[in-house]
Amino acid sequence: PEHQQLAKMVGMWKTTGKMWMDPSGPPMESQGAMEYTAALDGRYFLGAYKGDYMGMSFEGRSVDGYDRYAKEYFSYWYDNMGTGVMGLRGTASADGKVITMKGKAFDPMSMMDVEYKSVATWVNDNTIKYEMFSLKGGKETKVMELDYTRM
């Protein structure tokens, strides 16, 4: 059932995003598109993102899935603005519509690893809200929000 829920991602999505460099200031806004495909008999889902960020062309890739042995969802992200990978692992709500994951990634602004939390909420089969929070010093701060709409 976990892979069936993730399979709903397959297809083309329009994205609108907000990113906060300073939580007290206005967010930077962006537009893009994400295409998800299934791989290896539906065990993994590959995302290919293209859009803009700070006036520049931005591309990213993801590998998402469910590890049935660890009983955890996972997501790995990499893009053309960095050279590292963000890895997140976590669980879903009882109905499978909210997936919450945590992980670490290197932050070039602070030159150190930072903990992050992501929350993906399936509003319906054609709308997903994705939120990312930094967890610096035990404080949760929203740093990104993406709204996905099926094309």
Side-chain angles (χ1 to χ4, degrees), residues 26-54:
M28 291 182 284
E29 296 188 10
S30 65
Q31 305 272 329
M34 176 75 96
E35 180 177 16
Y36 281 104
T37 57
L40 302 174
D41 299 322
R43 287 177 172 84
Y44 303 93
F45 299 89
L46 310 177
Y49 179 87
K50 286 189 178 186
D52 64 80
Y53 176 68
M54 297 190 317

Side-chain angles (χ1 to χ4, degrees), residues 79-93:
D79 57 53
N80 67 331
M81 293 204 171
T83 56
V85 175
M86 173 183 279
L88 302 164
R89 295 184 79 85
T91 59
S93 59

